[in-house]
Amino acid sequence: MARLDHTSGTIEAVASTLETVVVVQNKMLDQMQLIYEEQQVNRDQRAFNEKQIAFNERQTAFNNRQEETDAILLSELREIKTDLRELKTIVLTDHEERLRRLEDFMRRAS
């Protein structure tokens, strides 16, 4: 009977030790899972950052081209504005001259 009690106590001790080992292993697995997930998040973040950098470079190049285009268009608009002013002056001068000649003609004809 004493031997049975001793064996039973040993079995309980081994079972308790095994339970502790299982609990520790589960905690280690959980920790490893967290580390793996964190590494995966870091890889995803690095990939995103690289794509963001490439996008930003393309956006900067586009913005530079847009600024150049805007400068060219602004220059052309200024030239058109100058040309319109000249045309306006010419048309108004011609119109005034024609009106003056018409008035002179009307005065002579009356």
Side-chain angles (χ1 to χ4, degrees), residues 100-110:
R100 189 184 54 75
R101 287 192 322 220
L102 180 62
E103 288 172 352
D104 288 347
F105 176 76
M106 296 294 280
R107 263 189 246 123
R108 279 184 258 145
S110 359

Side-chain angles (χ1 to χ4, degrees), residues 34-44 46:
L34 288 174
I35 290 170
Y36 173 78
E37 290 172 0
E38 185 176 299
Q39 288 173 343
Q40 185 64 38
V41 166
N42 288 340
R43 276 192 294 274
D44 292 347
R46 278 194 299 274

